[in-house]
Amino acid sequence: MNPLLYQIASDLCDRAYDENIDLGTTEYLSTIVSYQNMALQVLAIPGTNELKDWLKNLNPLSSNGIKSSAVESAELLHRKMNRIKKIPLLVTGHSKGGAAAIAYKKLFDADYCIAFCPARSLRYSTDRKMENTTIFIDRDDPVPFLGFIGFGHPICERHYLPKDFIGFSVQEHLMKNVKKFIQEKCCV
């Protein structure tokens, strides 16, 4: 995948924490940007930010091999977002939002998916292969590694941030770490 897409996705995913449409336990930012001299629609989904999110994150149920809370978010976003069919769609998310982005790509017609430190959301028993999908995992961040047994990440392009902390740190879960990595390593 083109590294410029990583830059666009990380910037908008970070921005989505402050500028978003709130749908309850799912928030999103939808915008159109210029990418390679053409329009690109971006759906950016921030992660957990309220108590109800944590409760949904603990639900171990799945629907068609996808974690139920991710499916619920993806379906809600699909209904609420003004999808412009003539423009390619990049869906991106961080943490719980990364799981929702992955579910959206599996269930609907997104052209690209970029997930940052996504929660594990796909049953190992389901087809986890995903084209035009990239995930970034910070080796010091507990979120991509913890979760219910039986759930994993998609089989897709992966980028790992270097291990620079002993053990895990919640501080390593912030989007700023991923953005810094992308700016320094992926888009130079």
Side-chain angles (χ1 to χ4, degrees):
M1 198 175 296
N2 187 323
L4 181 56
L5 283 176
Y6 306 150
Q7 186 92 42
I8 291 168
S10 67
D11 288 344
L12 290 172
C13 203
D14 188 40
R15 196 171 113 198
Y17 277 96
D18 296 319
E19 302 172 34
N20 61 57
I21 296 172
D22 190 342
L23 301 175
T25 58
T26 300
E27 292 81 31
Y28 75 98
L29 169 67
S30 178
T31 190
I32 297 174
V33 299
S34 177
Y35 170 64
Q36 296 183 331
N37 297 321
M38 64 178 199
L40 175 71
Q41 186 172 15
V42 180
L43 170 61
I45 313 163
T48 300
N49 66 358
E50 56 190 79
L51 180 59
K52 283 184 181 179
D53 283 346
W54 285 105
L55 297 174
K56 283 192 168 215
N57 290 344
L58 296 174
N59 181 352
L61 299 178
S62 64
S63 175
N64 295 322
I66 307 169
K67 193 168 181 193
S68 293
S69 58
V71 169
E72 289 172 24
S73 290
E75 288 174 341
L76 181 61
L77 289 164
H78 185 70
R79 285 193 311 270
K80 297 291 184 175
M81 187 190 82
N82 182 22
R83 171 76 169 100
I84 302 168
K85 291 283 187 187
K86 295 178 183 176
I87 299 176
L89 174 64
L90 162 63
V91 61
T92 182
H94 175 246
S95 190
K96 175 184 140 283
I102 290 165
Y104 193 101
K105 174 81 165 80
K106 279 200 78 69
L107 297 170
F108 304 108
D109 59 348
D111 298 283
Y112 310 99
C113 176
I114 300 173
F116 304 106
C117 302
R120 297 183 330 182
S121 59
L122 301 177
R123 291 268 182 212
Y124 287 110
S125 59
T126 192
D127 180 12
R128 296 184 302 127
K129 292 179 188 160
M130 293 182 66
E131 299 293 324
N132 295 321
T133 300
T134 302
I135 61 173
F136 285 81
I137 297 176
D138 189 330
R139 295 176 194 269
D140 301 317
D141 179 355
V143 171
F145 298 100
L146 302 177
F148 293 103
I149 296 173
F151 286 103
H153 293 297
I155 297 169
C156 63
E157 181 180 340
R158 294 179 185 207
H159 295 273
Y160 291 93
L161 280 69
K163 184 110 176 107
D164 53 8
F165 187 84
I166 297 172
F168 289 116
S169 170
V170 175
Q171 283 294 94
E172 293 295 306
H173 187 58
L174 303 175
M175 270 301 298
K176 71 177 185 170
N177 297 323
V178 177
K179 282 183 66 170
K180 181 180 175 188
F181 175 78
I182 288 170
Q183 291 168 348
E184 293 176 358
K185 307 288 185 201
C186 293
C187 296
V188 285

